[in-house]
Every structure is written in C-alpha cells, then in structure tokens.
C-alpha cells in the first residue's frame, strides 16, 4: 500500500561467495521473500524485528523451489543458513510508518440553515484512506457527577481531497441540527487513518453545536428540555418539573386542547419511564411536538429534501453511475 517499488536483494548462484551488504531501508510492514530453486534445503536465522510472516493462501510453487517469508517490523537481519560455507546475510533498517496529520485551517462555521462546515488539511507519508469528525461533551469543572447521555456522540465522515491523500485541503458540511446534542457545548476532534491503521488526531476545538432556531416560545422550551434530558438521563426529575410547569394555566398559555393534551401525555410518558429506551422515546416525542408547533407539516417536506440532498452528495462522492445520479436528482 505504500506505493514503493519492490526491492531486489543480491542473491547467490552456484560457485559465488556471500558478500557483506549494506543495510537496506524499507517501510515497516514490508515482507521479505527468500526463494531458492534447484532442490535446495535451507534454514533462515532472523534477529531483531524480523519475524516469520503469517501463513496465508498462495499459489503453489514450482517443483524444486523452496520459499520463506518474513515480516519486517523493526531493524534486524535475516540470514540463509545451511547452503554455503558461510551464511548469506541481509540487514534491514525499518522506516516507521508515521500517523497522519490533520488539523482545522479555520474555525468551524455555521451555515445559513444550521449545518456545520469544517475546513481542514491533512497529510501522510503513504496516504490517508479515512477521516472523521468526532465530538465529546465539554467537561464542566464544577460538575460533581459526570452526566450520563442517552445518545452517543455525533460523528461523521470527512471528505478526502482525493483518494489515498498524501497532502491536501478539503471541506465537509454536515447537518447536526436534529441530533439530540444540537446546541450543546462540545469539543471537536478530527481524526485521519492510513491503510496501516495508524490514527492521527487534531487538537481539540471547543464549540457549540449548531442547532435549529425555534421562534415559538413553547417549541423553544420543549427543545431546551429535550437537550437537557438527552445529555443526562439523571435529569429526569428536572425535566418533569419543567413539563409540569409548562402546562400550568392552559386557558391562558396553551388554549389549544391538542397542545395541552400533548404536553400532559409526554409528561406522563416521562413520569413512567423506567429505562433509557423509554427516556429516548420521550426525547423523540419532544422533538416531534416542537417541530409540529413551529412548522406544522412543512418540516416533513424539508426533512425529505435534506435526505435526498445527502443521498445525492454521497453518490457524487463515490462516483455513482449517470443513471443513479439522474434518479437521485429527480427525487
């Protein structure tokens, strides 16, 4: 995967004498293949970071051919023993495969409709094959007990400048406004991985996750309680009190009977929630009610449009066929 050409080491033919050779520099993880033909039996003496390669299915060797394979994990040597009067020795210097570098090149930016835009650069000695944006809740110094979120942290893949990126810049825009963590104070970390599995991380960056803006007061209140509950399952008593308070004096504050009954229904669901799955259902109901209050049925069409846009973006990135792209455009 490094893209480097194979290295042919000096061997021996009948009548030749083994000569001392200079160390050969090769990437860590390289495989050493030693092959002898002509009914020759030999042993390999390996030292240092040279280890036998794992057995794997290979094409059968021609008759009269012997082969040994070793893995170069660090500096060391391999010697052919038992064929000549002296051993044929190869010495190796292992070139470490460093972890990729990735970092933001400007602060994360909230887009007009709430999506989060990230601009970043990355580099690696042999090429980045995968990159992600990951988030964690910002630690509160005054907190006696750490929160217990009901939902895992959001994360999403980052667009690479090109396949197997050795160096370049790119940007990714992703909408997290519907995620239960939206509006929370978080730390963002970008990660990049190369084919050998080495993982590089950016410096953590603190920000508030973009959230959808609700104008109607009751919708805003429900979204706030949704976030409080989603970020800490132990906040159930606090949210219960808030929901109970929101349904005080319905003739003045929530005159629509459907809205009042919806509030009380969510309150009772939360009151009787006995496990995290039930709490997550309440979080989902709080979102649905807030969106219904804010938009009516318009939000369902908007959600369908966003899903179609995301499907089209992913198809373009993976080089989908013209027929598939045309179908997604029609959707």
């Amino acid at each position: 995967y490094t893209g480097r050409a194979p290295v042919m080491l000096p061997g021996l033919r009948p009548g030749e004498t083994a000569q001392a050779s200079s160390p050969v520099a090769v990437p860590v993880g390289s495989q050493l293949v030693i092959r002898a033909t002509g009914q020759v039996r030999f042993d390999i003496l390996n030292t240092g970071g040279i280890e036998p390669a794992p057995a794997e299915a290979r094409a059968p060797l021609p008759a009269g051919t012997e082969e040994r394979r070793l893995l170069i994990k660090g500096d060391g040597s391999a010697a052919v023993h038992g064929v000549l009067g002296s051993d044929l020795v190869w010495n190796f210097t292992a070139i470490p495969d460093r972890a990729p570098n990735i970092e933001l090149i400007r602060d994360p930016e909230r887009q007009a409709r709430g999506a989060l835009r990230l601009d970043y650069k990355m580099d690696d000695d042999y090429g980045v094959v995968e990159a992600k944006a990951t988030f964690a809740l910002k630690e509160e110094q005054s907190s006696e007990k750490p929160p217990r979120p009901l939902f895992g942290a959001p994360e999403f893949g980052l667009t690479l400048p090109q396949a197997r990126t050795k160096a370049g810049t790119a940007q990714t825009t992703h909408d997290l406004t519907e995620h239960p963590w939206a509006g929370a104070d978080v730390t963002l970390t970008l990660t990049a991985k190369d084919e050998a599995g080495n993982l590089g991380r950016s410096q953590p960056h603190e920000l508030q996750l973009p959230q959808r803006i609700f104008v109607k007061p009751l919708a805003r209140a429900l979204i706030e309680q949704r976030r409080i509950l989603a970020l800490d399952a132990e906040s159930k008593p606090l949210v219960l009190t808030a929901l109970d308070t929101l349904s005080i004096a319905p003739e003045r504050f929530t005159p629509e009977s459907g809205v009042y009954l919806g509030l009380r229904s969510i309150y009772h669901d939360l009151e009787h929630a006995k496990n995290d799955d039930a709490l997550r259902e309440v979080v989902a109901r709080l979102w649905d009610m807030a969106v219904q209050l804010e938009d009516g049925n318009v939000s369902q069409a908007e959600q369908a449009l966003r899903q179609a846009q995301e499907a089209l973006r992913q198809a373009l990135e993976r080089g989908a066929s013209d027929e598939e792209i045309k179908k997604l455009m029609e959707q």
Side-chain angles (χ1 to χ4, degrees):
Y1 72 89
T2 65
R4 294 196 173 197
V7 177
M8 301 301 294
L9 302 173
L12 277 183
R13 291 179 174 81
E16 295 179 346
T17 302
Q19 302 291 327
S21 60
S22 301
V24 180
V26 293
V28 165
S30 297
Q31 195 171 85
L32 171 64
V33 182
I34 303 173
R35 185 176 295 163
T37 57
Q39 303 292 345
V40 176
R41 296 281 179 180
F42 64 94
D43 295 319
I44 298 295
L45 302 178
N46 49 289
T47 64
I50 314 297
E51 302 177 3
E56 57 185 54
R58 301 187 184 96
L61 296 170
T65 301
E66 287 284 328
E67 182 181 276
R68 306 284 189 276
R69 291 182 179 241
L70 298 103
L71 204 59
I72 301 174
K73 292 187 173 182
D75 296 353
S77 65
V80 177
H81 180 69
V83 178
L84 307 164
S86 60
D87 293 346
L88 172 60
V89 182
W90 295 286
N91 297 298
F92 297 96
T93 301
I95 304 171
D97 184 355
R98 67 172 177 82
N101 293 317
I102 185 169
E103 60 181 292
L104 292 166
I105 54 179
R106 60 172 55 93
D107 288 343
E109 186 177 302
R110 186 188 192 278
Q111 301 299 284
R113 300 189 67 82
L116 181 65
R117 171 176 155 173
L118 302 177
D119 295 82
Y120 46 88
K121 64 180 180 179
M122 61 182 72
D123 66 80
D124 184 61
D125 39 13
Y126 303 123
V128 176
V129 296
E130 180 184 336
K132 288 182 179 180
T134 61
F135 300 86
L137 286 176
K138 182 180 174 183
E139 294 184 4
E140 298 292 342
Q141 301 296 329
S142 60
S143 177
E144 296 179 2
K145 185 178 179 182
R148 186 167 67 84
L150 287 168
F151 297 84
E155 69 172 40
F156 54 85
L158 299 176
T159 302
L160 301 180
Q162 61 267 345
R164 199 183 294 279
T165 299
K166 287 193 174 181
T169 62
Q171 71 172 230
T172 297
T173 302
H174 195 85
D175 189 347
L176 294 172
T177 54
E178 293 186 20
H179 195 279
W181 283 31
D185 292 325
V186 298
T187 56
L188 160 68
T189 304
L190 308 184
T191 64
K193 185 167 70 172
D194 63 17
E195 192 159 332
N198 297 307
L199 195 67
R201 291 180 172 85
S202 69
Q203 289 295 320
H205 183 93
E206 294 185 357
L207 74 153
Q208 185 182 72
L209 280 179
Q211 59 182 322
R212 176 176 171 176
I213 297 174
F214 287 83
V215 176
K216 297 181 178 177
L218 182 55
R220 287 165 56 187
L222 292 177
I223 287 300
E224 181 183 10
Q225 297 309 311
R226 170 193 186 242
R227 182 170 61 252
I228 291 171
L229 182 60
L231 295 179
D232 188 2
E234 305 305 326
S235 65
K236 172 182 171 179
L238 179 67
V239 177
L240 273 174
T241 301
L243 290 176
D244 201 28
T245 303
L246 289 172
S247 57
I248 288 176
E251 69 284 353
R252 180 175 178 183
F253 299 113
T254 50
E256 301 91 343
S257 60
V259 174
Y260 174 76
L261 291 174
L263 274 175
R264 297 312 297 172
S265 175
I266 293 175
Y267 173 87
H268 289 298
D269 281 354
L270 179 57
E271 186 180 34
H272 294 99
K274 303 300 183 185
N275 53 49
D276 286 356
D277 286 338
L279 292 175
R280 281 188 277 267
E281 290 179 10
V282 172
V283 170
R285 288 198 61 190
L286 286 168
W287 171 264
D288 291 341
M289 186 171 183
V291 170
Q292 186 69 28
L293 287 169
E294 186 76 14
D295 293 342
N297 293 323
V298 175
S299 60
Q300 296 176 2
E302 182 182 17
Q303 182 180 11
L305 174 61
R306 289 186 181 186
Q307 290 172 347
Q309 288 173 327
E310 179 65 14
L312 177 60
R313 184 188 67 80
Q314 292 178 0
L316 290 170
E317 284 186 359
R318 71 170 186 270
S321 65
D322 292 343
E323 182 180 353
E324 182 181 353
I325 290 175
K326 180 181 178 182
K327 182 179 178 181
L328 290 170
M329 284 288 290
E330 289 171 353
Q331 290 178 358

